[in-house]
Amino acid sequence: ETGVTQTPRHLVMGMTNKKSLKCEQHLGHNAMYWYKQSAKKPLELMFVYSLEERVENNSVPSRFSPECPNSSHLFLHLHTLQPEDSALYLCASSQDIVNSPLHFGNGTRLTVT
Amino acid sequence: TQLLEQSPQFLSIQEGENLTVYCNSSSVFSSLQWYRQEPGEGPVLLVTVVTGGEVKKLKRLTFQFGDARKDSSLHITAAQPGDTGLYLCAGAGGTDSWGKLQFGAGTQVVVTP
């Protein structure tokens, strides 16, 4: 099993749908992250969890709702999204939240129609 | 907000040529990381530089951290098609607290046979 696994790889949803993105890490790391990647823009940090506690919520709209049930799993619940939310959503983990390198999953390509 | 600017945005070269990409900021970082992201995958860490003036080599890739720890460069010698990807720099430990990584927008490198 690879280090950080994300499902699904691709997702198309309407603006009224509810869906969830899943991330699982097999590295024994203590921190997990959600990033949004849009073309030609820097990676945008959305949420950070350290030891299952949320330590960062980077002014993300409430239509994105994270959940971290344990240190190995991270979810991003989506509802009533907008077309501008279409992007690649990357999950990452690190040993801890201070200056540790990130291990990324391969992302979920989200399209909102 | 600390800004990491990467240049050029896009670079297309022939196999065997050399290239350099740059990462610049007005802020000081305690360390800087370089990642490469291939199509359909998440970013993968290449190197972390920590000391001002530090030079690290990874096969044909040479990474340099500026003396003032505000900028970095990545030089690839005799580029190969396998070097194709999006190169991202990320600074850590700036004034933004707890070592949160600040990413640049990336340089897209295409190496054609």
Side-chain angles (χ1 to χ4, degrees), chain B residues 1 35 68 72 79:
Chain B
T1 301
Y35 293 79
S72 181

Side-chain angles (χ1 to χ4, degrees), chain A residues 9 33 35 37 40-43 45 48 55-56 58 88 90 97-107, chain B residues 4 9 30-31 33 35 37 40-45 48 86 88 92-93 98-105:
Chain A
R9 292 296 310 272
Y33 310 74
Y35 280 89
Q37 186 175 32
K40 299 183 180 180
K41 290 185 178 179
L43 286 175
L45 179 62
V48 182
V55 297
E56 180 90 8
N58 225 19
L88 182 68
L90 289 163
I97 64 170
V98 181
N99 292 342
S100 292
L102 299 176
H103 295 253
F104 286 90
N106 287 332
Chain B
L4 271 172
Q9 288 189 355
S30 62
S31 67
Q33 300 169 13
Y35 293 79
Q37 184 176 18
E41 299 184 5
V44 175
L45 179 72
T48 301
L86 179 67
L88 298 165
W98 66 261
K100 181 171 65 176
L101 284 177
Q102 180 71 41
F103 279 86

Side-chain angles (χ1 to χ4, degrees), chain B residues 26-105:
Chain B
S26 58
S27 300
V28 176
F29 293 99
S30 62
S31 67
L32 196 136
Q33 300 169 13
W34 282 94
Y35 293 79
R36 179 171 64 213
Q37 184 176 18
E38 298 183 18
E41 299 184 5
V44 175
L45 179 72
L46 295 174
V47 77
T48 301
V49 285
V50 179
T51 306
E54 181 178 4
V55 176
K56 278 192 174 179
K57 291 192 175 184
L58 187 67
K59 296 183 180 178
R60 293 175 295 97
L61 278 59
T62 301
F63 303 85
Q64 186 163 7
F65 201 13
D67 290 341
R69 289 184 287 124
K70 293 182 179 181
D71 54 85
S72 181
S73 64
L74 159 59
H75 181 79
I76 301 179
T77 303
Q80 298 178 0
D83 297 323
T84 293
L86 179 67
Y87 288 81
L88 298 165
C89 66
T95 57
D96 204 359
S97 79
W98 66 261
K100 181 171 65 176
L101 284 177
Q102 180 71 41
F103 279 86

Side-chain angles (χ1 to χ4, degrees), chain A residues 6-22 34-36 46-47 60-67 74-82 85-90 107-113:
Chain A
Q6 288 188 245
T7 55
R9 292 296 310 272
H10 300 273
L11 179 62
V12 179
M13 59 185 289
M15 294 169 62
T16 59
N17 290 159
K18 290 184 180 181
K19 296 287 185 183
S20 296
L21 310 184
K22 179 182 176 182
W34 281 115
Y35 280 89
K36 177 183 179 182
M46 301 175 71
F47 301 104
V60 178
S62 60
R63 56 186 183 269
F64 294 92
S65 175
E67 179 189 0
L74 186 64
F75 295 89
L76 187 62
H77 304 299
L78 316 170
H79 64 97
T80 58
L81 294 190
Q82 304 297 313
D85 296 323
S86 297
L88 182 68
Y89 288 84
L90 289 163
T108 295
R109 173 67 62 185
L110 174 67
T111 303
V112 181
T113 60

